[in-house]
Amino acid sequence: MKNVFQEHIAQHLAEAFRAAYPGHIEAVLVALPPDVAGLEGFIYGRLEVPRDRTMGDFAFPAFSLAASLKEKPAEIARKVAAQLDPAQFSAAGPYINAVLSVSEIAAAVLPLIHGQGTAFGNQSVGEGKKIAIDYSSPNIAKPFGVGHLRSTAIGHSLYRIYEKLGYRPIGINHLGDWGTQFGKMIVAYRKWGRDDQLAKEPITYLYDLYVRFHAEEEKDPSLSEDARLWFKKLEDGDPEAVRLWTLFKEYSLTEFQRIYDILGITFDHYTGESFYNDRIEAVMDILRRAGLVTESQGAQVVELEPYGMPACLLKKADGATLYATRELAGIFYRYETFHFDRALYVVGASQQEHFKQVFKVIELLGEPYADKLVHVEFGWIKFKDQAMSTRKGNIIFLEDVIATAEEKAAKIIRDKNPGLPNLEATARMIALGAILFADLGVKKHKDVNFSWEEVLNFEGETGPYLQYTHARLSSLIRRYGRPIAEAVDFGLISSPEEKELLLHLYRFGQTVETAAERYEPNYIAEYLLELAAVFNRFYQRKDAEGKLVKIISDREDETGARMLLVAAVRSVLNEGLRLLGIPAPEEM
Ligand code: ARG
């Protein structure tokens, strides 16, 4: 997305260059790369945003044309700046600095946001393109842990980010509902399971059985063989095996759905691993015909040694299929069904090797979409304070985390704002804000160090801080009590704080693009923290006498102009939070 202000500056500079180097400059253009749209395009691409903003809003480094013009950069800067309005342009050593007028920016940005509302920042780059996003993908009969939460948070955010750019995202939950572990579950359940107990707290109960199985397996290795046989039976459609597996799956899905409802997460498809059962043979055929399948100790594998990877396991000696086999079937299916322009797999970094292997197999098959498969990997979530109940088995249940966050958030509100209506609903919103932002507030490859004190701090770099800022903006608009008008005197918007805020608002669309390009919702998170910080500087702005400048004052024209800005900030903050999947309370 082009920045209109940057274009504007580039235009002025290009004209000045032509005036300062008549005739000559066109010769320089010949040497420019052909993808650059003339001198304007060249300048546009080289404009920098100075770190020290008192230097200007944009700076053009004259070095970039020194060789072509055969002149010293400082000399070029001086000559070119001399052609321009000194109120807006100045030479500073080898740079030409440019300053935008605040009213000019306000007149361009505010009507745009006012008119477009939350559609501000929408783009069409993705039109006609489909992007398959595999996220969340928990394992049935196991608790939904915080690791799956991170995949859920990142994946769902990417879904909304791509949607905003015009793509058609396809959200896929690749449930872990098949595999040798179900042999173990079946054996454990047949040995120790009780239907009445299962109905009470299914996931915890199944998980306890699973943990027990592993403990007993150590003492009695024959259990492993039983489990292998039962998984084989399941793959062969044995009615008892299928009955138990179906039971586990139904209970699990009900639990997962409850969590997704709390989080406000949706999927377009629930195609878990078992969905591919009847497609496995077709996959094996394709691989065999391509000459990729070899036998290794009775198992069927794709040898990947030449690529520095262990072999990709397709079938065990007993014919049982594996995670990778079902993955390959999933890739074929997704391409056939959706013709995706890209397929993302939002899965922890611990599965890096798995994805390298299966993607390599697709490449060896010569599939045209081999380079469109992306493993969007992320780091671990670590809990600092052990106050979190981990139950046994050392896994942290997401539901416990949400419940704790809700309790803590409710306590904070009761202290800060005891009269708040809908306290419970707000506490839930804050809980989600805290938990989701804990995941999205750091770059995805980094580990998250989760600490209750940090994630719930209303003044820190947190979800609740952004939510609180949103509530404050909403309260200002309520207090103003009149419709926000677009026809204001933009000349009244002139402070450096307002300028900073306007320019930051304007960067929203670019930020969404960057987040999509790098598969990184954290760019939105950081953008919003900065938006809140810049807004707070504006909110706490003092006049020349050191008095706080009130947004709502008795000067109607000034108030109207500022409220248009306030409404724009609220709108962008609201939309940014939506992209992160975080609810935006009106009051808290
Ligand atoms: N169920 C897997 C796990 O919990 C994650 C699946 C990710 N998606 C995929 N297509 N492999 O580890």
Side-chain angles (χ1 to χ4, degrees), residues 373-388:
L373 306 168
V374 185
H375 177 201
V376 178
E377 56 187 79
F378 54 82
W380 299 94
I381 303 188
K382 294 177 180 160
F383 275 73
K384 252 191 224 162
D385 19 36
Q386 281 309 309
M388 192 60 238

Side-chain angles (χ1 to χ4, degrees), residues 63-76:
F63 322 96
S64 53
L65 283 169
S68 317
L69 291 170
K70 297 191 180 60
E71 202 152 40
K72 288 212 174 76
E75 188 55 22
I76 301 176

